[in-house]
Each structure stands twice: as structure tokens, then as C-alpha cells.
Amino acid sequence: MTPNSGVVVAGAASEAGAPLSEAEGAGAAWRRLELANFGVAVAAFAVGAAMAVMQALSRANMALPLRSAKIYYLSVTAHGVLMALVFTTFFIMGLGLVVARTTLLPGPVTARFAWGSFWVALVGTLLVAAAILSGTSSVLYTFYPPLQAHPAFYIGATLLVVGSWGWSAVMVRTYRGWRRENPGVAIPLPMHGMLAALIVWLLATVAVAAEMLLLLIPWSLGLKATVDPLLARTLFWWFGHPLVYFWLLPAYVVWYTVLPRAAGGKLFSDPLARLVFVLFILFSTPVGFHHQFMDPGIGAGWKLAHTVNTYVILFPSMVTAFTVLASLEVAGRMKGATGWFDWIPRLPWGDPLVASVALAMLTFAVGGFGGAVNAAYAMNSMVHNTAWVQGHFHLTVGTATALTFMGASYWLLPRLTGKELHFRAAAQVQPYLWFVGMVLFGVVNHVTGIMGMPRRIYEAGYFGAEEATRWSEWTAISAVGGVILFVSAAFYVAVIAGTWVWGKPTAAPAIEYAEPLVPAEGRRTLWDRLALWTALAVVLVAVAYFYPIGHLLQMERFGSPGFRPF
Ligand code: HAS
Ligand code: CU
């Protein structure tokens, strides 16, 4: 069986003719690294979730012990960094390695380099965590200056990025080795999606590396007295928006290539999936000004240009909604459904992966709609910096991505450890709890946002201000959502830790991906010319950013000293 027959099986190396022991040895070494990445991801998630419950209660003005602004902002920073930056990045690195190993066969032994990169990323993460927990770096996960963190925060975050570049090099090297052996063959679809995520990540991280190395690190070390907040924000959002697609694309890989099979069906269309991944390579980055509509110093024409691109990038998600939903319908029909909607109850709703992804999709339908609202200048001016935005990102990264990753963990862990899922009933209930918790939390945040409640405030009661009293019945509901989310998070961590420690040994099921409904030809097509698409993407980024940044640099500079209010 070749990796391109649609179904790809873990350990296919031996079937493909490589010496068994060598292939198995390389496979086992990769698996250890995959598990190490997942371990860090889940540990970060556990700490981040513990922080979150306190915040949700705090925003509902509950009199908690030790409640103070200092603790609140420390906690929000730790939560945002651990969930949005650490859990996601390590999970994606682990998933990428799994995909590369199972679709391209274990590559040459890059073990030392791959482990070295992992350790660089981990040391960076620990530095960031120490800086935050020491109370010197409550700058939130966007680390906007002139809020100033301890240098260890910026240096640690940079190391995390450098480690991820090492991972990227391992992935690209593995791919190129495979490509040399298989010149005319289509990239296996899961790898196509992972490579798209990786390209988006590289286009994005160039900017945050520049922000760190040229602006924030020298400034935090006292080598420069002031920093330019607007330039820093512009570089941050050059990074920050494609970052959200770096989170989303690996989830899409699961939606397209794992879900249809787990649901008992087939992928509706392989070429449509490739089109989607390519569109993300092209249009993920030149859109960052939709986070800066309210910033001065950026021309209205450039804001409009980024808005147009933002509406283009809605399109591949709409195609995804269609294709993945059609794949689920195919699954239901293969189980005998004949009516309009009777395929829905025939889906295996008790399967933790299927339930997680289906609920993640449902939630993303609302989150994506909110994204379209955010992207419109006039509506953005109503919701910007309100609780709406935190509602939006809890439905997107907090559910579309995170719940998919939780479902994927339930699917992967038995396959990587050869252990049965422990506390299986908890794994079955957990996605539903997350969904209910997130509806209460995320949707209510949208409502209070429209009512004018700002995001990122510690004292949601505004010390008894009349305006704020209208929010409080709603924030009570979101606090209930927060508690349900916490229970769900605890279930997730318990299942993962329980499987790891106490899971009953079993024959590891194979890692298999969905077959397309129409068998793929397996030939390399235009959609697989990733170097070409990357080159075009670089041109688009240059067009979107070089002039506005040049313009910013020519303006009279007003730097700001650093502030540490807490
Ligand atoms: Fe966003 C702010 C625009 C998607 C994350 N976004 C944020 C922030 C984060 C974030 C973290 O234009 C806050 C940043 C901060 O801290 O300041 N966002 C968009 C747009 C999209 C979008 C246009 N965002 C995401 C994704 C994220 C994410 C994905 C993380 C993973 N976002 C914005 C804007 C702002 C913003 C502005 C700035 C706001 C401000 O003023 O500060 C699009 O990509 C969305 C496309 C999605 C769709 C939905 C497709 C639906 C699907 C599911 C279908 C399911 C069905 C039901 C039909 C078009 C694929 C299934 C049924 C079954 C039976 C299973
Ligand atoms: Cu964005």
C-alpha cells in the first residue's frame, strides 16, 4: 500500500520495502518525540484551564480570596500564553510529526536535531512561564508595548519560535526526501494541509521575530530607552492573524482527513481540500490591519485592502463547511440514511473524536460569522476591544481548534502508546460539556460586548456604575459557562493522564486517513506546487506591508518608555 492510495497506514514503511527493523526503529523514535510534544501541550492546557476558572468568576464580580488586579492580569497573561501559544504550538508540532511519519514514512534520522528543537522550544516556554508567574510580565498574550515585560518573557517567546522553526526544518527535510523518491506523486492530503500550516507559520513568524529582536528585547534590556508602539503592533498583527490559521489548519487536517473515516464515510472531495489549503497559504497573512482599524497612522486605503483580503479568506472556510458537512452526510448515507436529515442521527455521536469535531464545527459556524462582523470597519468600531472579541476567539481558537485537538488526542493516544483510552465515558461526555460551557461563555460574551462591556477588565462592575449593572446578570451566566468548561477541561486532562499512566495495553490501532469519495488520481497537480504558492504568498505579503511599514518609519518617531502597572 503506498501513501497515495488514499488510505495511509502507520508503519507502512515495512510494507513499502524498507528493512523492518530500521523502519520500526525510526518510527519508534519519532513516536517518542510526538508524545513529548503532546505531553507539554496537555500540561500547558491543564495549568491554563486552572487559571481560566478564576478569571470567569472574577469577571462576574465574585468575591474570591486573593482577588486583586495584579493576580487577575497575571492569570489572564498565563492563561492566554499557555492556551493560545503553548498548547497549540506543541500540539501542532506533535500532530505534524505524526502526519509526516505516517504519510511520508520515517525520514532520515534527524533525531538529534529534532529533539534539540523540541528542547529549545521547551526551555523558551519555561522561561516565559517563569517570567509570568514571577509577576513581572503581566503583558497579556499580545504583549503590546508600552506594557513592558521582563526580558526573559521576550527571550523565552523567541526561543519557542526558534524551536518551532527547527520543527519546520525537520518537516520540510522529510518532505523533500520523500519528494526526491516520488517526483510525480501528489502530496498525501494530510501532509499537504500540515505543510500549508507550516508555510503560513513561517510567513507569520518572520514578523514577530523582527518585533522581538529589533524592538522588544533591546528595549526590555534597557539598551533602548523607548519603543514605538504602533510599529510593534503592526509587526505583531502581521504575525497575529496568520497565527490564527496556523491554529486552524491542523484542525482542518483532522476535519478533512480523520473525521470522515472515523464517522464511517469518505472525504467528499480531495481537490477541494487542496484548493482550501492553497488559498490559506496565499491569503492568511496580508490581512493584519483588520486588528488595527482603530489605530492611527495606517492609511484608510490600506485598511480597505486588508479588509478585501479578509473577505477572500472567508471563502476557504465556507468551502470547508460544505465539504466536511458533505463528507458527514456521505457517512450517514453509507449507513443507510435516505431522507434529508436522517444522516445526522446515524453519525457515531458517542465517538469522542466525531463528537468533538462535529461540535467544534457547529461552534465555528457562529465564531466564523462573528469574524465576518469583525472584519467590517463600521461594525468593528462597535465591537473592538469589547467582550465580543474574547467571545469570538473562544469560539474559534478555544473551540474550533482546541476541541478538535482534544478529540484528536482521544484518537491519537491509543495509537501512539498502544494503550486503551482510560475513563472512556469521561472522554465521551467531555466534548458536550465543552460545547455547552462555550455556548454559555462565548455567546454571552458576544452579548455583553454589544452592550459595551470592555474586554480585559478586572473590575467588571466598574465599582457600582449604573451602566455596568446591566452586564452583571449576563456575566453570571458566562461564569456558569466557565465552571462547566473547567469541569470539561479536567475530564480531558484526566483521560489523557489516565490513559498514559493506567491505560490497558492493547494492540495499537493503525493510523488511517479518509479515502476520497472519488479515488484520487495520485498525480502531482498544480495544487501540490507549494514552492510556487509560497512565492506568490511572499509577493502578496510584500504588497500588503512594505509600503505601510515604510510609511510608518518615515513619520516623525515618538517612542514610549515602558510601563509596568502591576
Ligand atoms: Fe478572528 C480577532 C476576523 C477566524 C482568532 N480572532 C480575533 C482574535 C483571535 C481570533 C484570537 O476582522 C483576538 C485577537 C486579540 O486578542 O485582539 N477571524 C476573523 C475572520 C475569520 C476569523 C474574518 N479568528 C478566526 C479563527 C481564529 C480566530 C479561525 C482562531 C483559530 N478576528 C477577526 C477580526 C478580529 C479578530 C477582524 C479583530 C477584532 C478586533 O477588533 O479586535 C474567518 O477566518 C472566519 C471564517 C469562518 C467561517 C465559518 C465556516 C464554518 C464552518 C463550520 C460549518 C458547520 C456547520 C454545522 C455548517 C466562514 C467551517 C455543522 C453541523 C454538524 C451536524 C456537524
Ligand atoms: Cu485576524
Side-chain angles (χ1 to χ4, degrees), residues 237 241 244 287 290-291:
W237 286 116
H241 188 83
V244 314
V287 297
H290 69 217
H291 294 267

Side-chain angles (χ1 to χ4, degrees), residues 449-474:
I450 296 181
M451 291 165 78
M453 177 167 155
R455 67 185 285 200
R456 297 177 153 169
I457 44 156
Y458 154 67
E459 176 42 63
Y462 275 79
F463 305 102
E466 200 188 316
E467 178 73 5
T469 52
R470 294 192 299 125
W471 308 332
S472 60
E473 49 210 68
W474 290 97

Side-chain angles (χ1 to χ4, degrees), residues 289-295 303 370 372-386 388-389 449-450 452:
F289 291 158
H290 69 217
H291 294 267
Q292 294 183 273
F293 285 148
M294 301 301 132
D295 284 15
K303 289 179 179 171
V373 169
N374 296 342
Y377 185 92
M379 286 195 276
N380 184 276
S381 61
M382 285 187 276
V383 299
H384 183 63
N385 270 341
T386 70
W388 168 286
V389 174
I450 296 181

Side-chain angles (χ1 to χ4, degrees), residues 189 267-276 516 518 527:
L189 185 59
L267 171 61
F268 182 71
S269 164
D270 175 283
L272 270 182
R274 286 174 204 265
L275 165 72
V276 163
V518 179
W527 304 125

Side-chain angles (χ1 to χ4, degrees), residues 92 164-165 167-169 171-172 175 187 191-207 238-239 242-243 245-246 249-250 277-286 527-539 541:
I92 292 166
S164 76
W165 285 347
W167 165 82
S168 306
M171 297 282 290
V172 170
Y175 167 66
I187 306 171
M191 191 64 190
H192 189 273
M194 282 311 307
L195 286 171
L198 183 156
I199 294 164
V200 167
W201 178 243
L202 294 180
L203 289 171
T205 44
V206 175
W238 167 341
F239 157 73
L243 168 68
Y245 296 133
F246 173 65
L249 286 177
F277 293 140
V278 166
L279 284 174
F280 274 106
I281 293 176
L282 288 175
F283 288 99
S284 286
T285 317
W527 304 125
D528 298 313
R529 303 266 162 204
L530 295 184
L532 168 73
W533 300 119
T534 308
L536 282 175
V538 170
V539 173
V541 176

Side-chain angles (χ1 to χ4, degrees), residues 411-499:
W411 175 74
L412 268 174
L413 208 59
R415 288 166 172 77
L416 295 181
T417 58
K419 292 178 177 179
E420 256 174 36
L421 214 53
H422 206 64
F423 303 133
R424 193 178 160 78
Q428 287 175 303
V429 175
Q430 184 269 330
Y432 295 92
L433 284 176
W434 193 268
F435 178 73
V436 172
M438 211 41 110
V439 167
L440 295 180
F441 182 81
V443 175
V444 164
N445 273 311
H446 281 80
V447 176
T448 52
I450 296 181
M451 291 165 78
M453 177 167 155
R455 67 185 285 200
R456 297 177 153 169
I457 44 156
Y458 154 67
E459 176 42 63
Y462 275 79
F463 305 102
E466 200 188 316
E467 178 73 5
T469 52
R470 294 192 299 125
W471 308 332
S472 60
E473 49 210 68
W474 290 97
T475 52
I477 300 176
S478 63
V480 173
V483 173
I484 297 175
L485 283 168
F486 178 68
V487 174
S488 174
F491 277 23
Y492 170 65
V493 175
V495 173
I496 300 303
T499 305

Side-chain angles (χ1 to χ4, degrees), residues 133-291:
L133 296 177
S134 70
T136 58
S137 302
S138 297
V139 290
L140 309 176
Y141 83 110
T142 41
F143 46 87
Y144 291 147
L147 283 180
Q148 192 180 53
H150 190 278
F153 178 92
Y154 304 119
I155 294 170
T158 307
L159 288 178
L160 174 57
V161 169
V162 170
S164 76
W165 285 347
W167 165 82
S168 306
V170 172
M171 297 282 290
V172 170
R173 209 176 143 202
T174 307
Y175 167 66
R176 291 175 62 131
W178 174 86
R179 175 52 79 206
R180 267 195 302 278
E181 312 260 300
N182 301 273
V185 180
I187 306 171
L189 185 59
M191 191 64 190
H192 189 273
M194 282 311 307
L195 286 171
L198 183 156
I199 294 164
V200 167
W201 178 243
L202 294 180
L203 289 171
T205 44
V206 175
V208 78
E211 185 194 5
M212 292 294 190
L213 297 177
L214 302 177
L215 303 179
L216 301 181
I217 293 179
W219 171 63
S220 69
L221 288 171
L223 303 175
K224 284 187 185 168
T226 60
V227 72
D228 179 342
L230 186 53
L231 182 59
R233 283 169 68 88
T234 303
L235 289 171
F236 182 84
W237 286 116
W238 167 341
F239 157 73
H241 188 83
L243 168 68
V244 314
Y245 296 133
F246 173 65
W247 299 330
L248 185 67
L249 286 177
Y252 277 6
V253 167
V254 175
W255 296 16
Y256 278 111
T257 70
V258 179
L259 173 74
R261 191 183 180 94
K266 295 189 175 194
L267 171 61
F268 182 71
S269 164
D270 175 283
L272 270 182
R274 286 174 204 265
L275 165 72
V276 163
F277 293 140
V278 166
L279 284 174
F280 274 106
I281 293 176
L282 288 175
F283 288 99
S284 286
T285 317
V287 297
F289 291 158
H290 69 217
H291 294 267

